[in-house]
Amino acid sequence: MLGMLVVTYIPRLLPVWVLTSKPLPPLAVAWLRYVPVAVLAALLLPALVVTENRLDVSLGNLFLWAAIPTFVVAWKTRSLFGPVIVGMGIVAAVRFIM
Amino acid sequence: MASLETTSALRWAWLRGVTRATPIVMGYVPIGFAYGVLAQQAGLSILNTVLMSLLVYAGSAQLIAVGLFATGAPALSLILTTFVVNLRHLLMSAALSPYMQHWRKGELAAFAYELTDESFAVHIAQFAESASPKAEVFAVNVTAQLSWILGSWLGAVAGQLIADVKPLALDYALPAMFIALLVMQIKDKRHIIVAAATGLLAVVLALGGLGHWAVIIAALIGATLGVVLEIGD
């Protein structure tokens, strides 16, 4: 757990610690603007379409199809709570019915 | 009198910070709860479950870590995965740095400890508007972490009563959170192109057997694509 602490803290600390001493070149600033979108998309899509190391875009992939209404709610509300509750609610409801 | 006014201003700053953290709290309590339950299922004690939320404080990494822990993965693999998953904060921390030039090193150290995707989203939006008092910034962070710890603890306690996480869809907390966070970051068409391309690349790399490295490699290429598109326009 202490190992996890160290590897979590260092990436959070280092840039803000070092970079506040000098301004960044504009190209680096432009690049940094795309980083959050890129990282989140890279975390999300495999979680939706990869099941046990195989591509799964079948009708039976509940995670993938539940993502559609979750996206809609996220787009409308731009909140964290709304889409999380709707997404989990739909997955729970479908599992209950099936 | 001056000290009284300062105290009152400080109190207002904290109050504003706590209010600003409300959306994060609404997300962290249920997701922290999901983490707590899954940690119990993986065989972690209540103390260790809560301790991880206090010491590590990284939602995605904690959820992935308890998943790995359940499969009996070695400690080194947990640490390495945490590192790769959290490398994105390197980039978020860098993105905040232009706004924090006047902060003291000790303040930066305390701030960075509680930097998460959600607090990043709140701070970057706020900093772009105006420089908020440091007390307010810290109030957001502290409130967010307290709610994460509370959610974890509730989940850890409830976890002993919950036999299966699937009926409650607790295993969908993480993907749903990624969707919410991703949508919050999307501001124009280039962001959508970058998100789609990076996501597809991550899937290809993951299927290619790169594991969690797929995320960081796809993200580095995806962000570069964004800049290339920007220059091309």
Side-chain angles (χ1 to χ4, degrees), chain B residues 54-77:
Chain B
L54 182 72
L55 296 177
V56 182
Y57 185 39
S60 321
Q62 283 178 237
L63 278 158
I64 294 167
V66 293
L68 283 174
F69 188 79
T71 65
L76 192 65
S77 150

Side-chain angles (χ1 to χ4, degrees), chain B residues 131-194:
Chain B
S132 40
K134 289 169 193 165
E136 187 181 327
V137 173
F138 281 116
V140 170
N141 285 358
V142 171
T143 309
Q145 185 168 13
L146 285 178
S147 74
W148 177 250
I149 292 170
L150 174 73
S152 315
W153 176 72
L154 289 173
V157 173
Q160 299 179 324
L161 310 170
I162 296 169
D164 187 1
V165 296
K166 288 204 160 181
L168 289 172
L170 293 175
D171 50 340
Y172 204 60
L174 194 58
M177 183 174 79
F178 288 150
I179 291 172
L181 292 172
L182 177 62
V183 169
M184 278 186 218
Q185 290 292 332
I186 289 182
K187 302 203 173 70
D188 58 39
K189 206 192 269 172
R190 272 197 296 264
H191 281 138
I192 299 177
I193 299 170
V194 168

